[in-house]
Amino acid sequence: MKAIVRYGQAFGGYTMRDVPEPTCGPEDIILEIKAAAICGADMKHWRVDNGSDEFNSIRGHEFAGEIVQVGEKVTDLKVGDMVATGYEGCGHCPACREGKVNLGLDNNTWGGGFSKYCKIPGEILRIHKHAIWEIPEGVKYEEAAVLDPICNAYKAVAQQSHLIPGQDVVVFGTGPL
């Protein structure tokens, strides 16, 4: 299958390549990707040659899809479920310990949303019950794919800023969030 992949750890290294379709282990799920959002960082890395030929990851951490395969030990998810990513991080890596949870799961070897199929390993599902979320009825795949960045913006403004209704605020910057 075609996928946008990253090579190496240095800046850049994104390109489209053929990669094998993921295989489902006893605790894993396989999603067919229906929609994926493009993170601002992805745009900066696209087609920038960093000189590496060492496979790093399949890119795309904001996506939604349909479960097409579940491992025999998976009991709380089923084929046909519509889900979206909700990365909470692994909880153990340096990025997670600093609260930068997307950085922890964004560089993985098991899959991403810029492909036809993505594997979510059982080890991730065990650690993070909210690595994926069921998409509510009436929400489109395209809308669900951007719930992660929308929630990041909400958390920054509504939860971490300690603003209360009626206060004035100035927002600096022109980023997508």
Side-chain angles (χ1 to χ4, degrees):
M1 71 178 172
K2 296 283 187 196
I4 295 179
V5 300
R6 180 178 186 186
Y7 284 85
Q9 293 289 329
F11 183 84
Y14 284 32
T15 186
M16 184 165 303
R17 296 281 167 91
D18 286 311
V19 298
E21 288 186 13
T23 57
C24 191
E27 297 180 281
D28 306 335
I29 64 171
I30 305 292
L31 304 180
E32 180 178 359
I33 303 301
K34 300 293 188 176
I38 299 172
C39 179
D42 293 328
M43 294 300 296
K44 296 174 186 174
H45 291 268
W46 176 243
R47 295 203 176 172
V48 175
D49 184 4
N50 65 11
S52 179
D53 60 358
E54 180 183 346
F55 177 79
N56 174 287
S57 56
I58 296 175
R59 306 310 298 167
H61 61 270
E62 300 164 1
F63 57 88
E66 180 180 334
I67 297 176
V68 294
Q69 190 174 3
V70 297
E72 62 265 15
K73 293 184 178 180
V74 176
T75 59
D76 54 344
L77 299 165
K78 65 186 182 315
V79 171
D81 284 350
M82 298 167 43
V83 296
T85 56
Y87 287 145
E88 290 189 350
C90 67
H92 305 290
C93 72
C96 285
R97 288 195 302 267
E98 293 177 19
K100 301 173 183 172
V101 295
N102 272 345
L103 297 178
L105 288 179
D106 197 28
N107 290 305
N108 62 69
T109 57
W110 39 264
F114 295 158
S115 60
K116 183 169 177 65
Y117 298 102
C118 176
K119 174 171 134 177
I120 309 290
E123 64 189 282
I124 297 298
L125 296 171
R126 275 194 314 276
I127 295 170
H128 311 290
K129 293 297 180 192
H130 299 299
I132 57 169
W133 292 85
E134 187 174 350
I135 299 172
E137 189 174 321
V139 175
K140 299 174 185 171
Y141 285 115
E142 295 83 359
E143 296 164 337
V146 295
L147 286 176
D148 176 75
I150 289 169
C151 290
N152 286 337
Y154 174 81
K155 182 177 181 181
V157 173
Q159 294 177 338
Q160 292 184 336
S161 69
H162 305 292
L163 293 171
I164 58 173
Q167 285 185 311
D168 294 326
V169 63
V170 175
V171 177
F172 288 91
T174 59
L177 295 182

